[in-house]
Amino acid sequence: IRQRGFAVNRGEWRPDVGCVAAAVMASHENPVATLSVNIPITRLTDESEAVFAAAVTEAASRLGARLG
């Protein structure tokens, strides 16, 4: 997770819900929040995982920069 910058949940929380998430890092590299996309597990394909991962990591990075 740390190396690729995001985490994936494939039904661990609920069998029918998937999630792609990234940490929002503060200026001292401490996580202060997370951003995630939660979708029906049937829509969490390898292709959609890559798209959602790019979106949440970019958004988390931008938010972390704004928080300083």
Side-chain angles (χ1 to χ4, degrees):
I1 294 169
R2 208 175 274 227
Q3 289 177 343
R4 66 183 182 177
F6 64 95
V8 179
N9 173 332
R10 294 190 177 273
E12 287 91 2
W13 175 62
R14 288 182 57 185
D16 56 342
V17 177
C19 173
V20 180
V24 177
M25 306 301 281
S27 61
H28 294 92
E29 297 299 316
N30 294 316
V32 296
T34 60
L35 290 177
S36 66
V37 174
N38 297 279
I39 59 173
I41 197 71
T42 56
R43 292 188 179 174
L44 186 53
T45 63
D46 290 342
E47 295 81 22
S48 68
E49 177 183 314
V51 172
F52 291 131
V56 296
T57 55
E58 181 181 340
S61 178
R62 286 183 182 196
L63 181 56
R66 290 192 69 181
L67 293 174

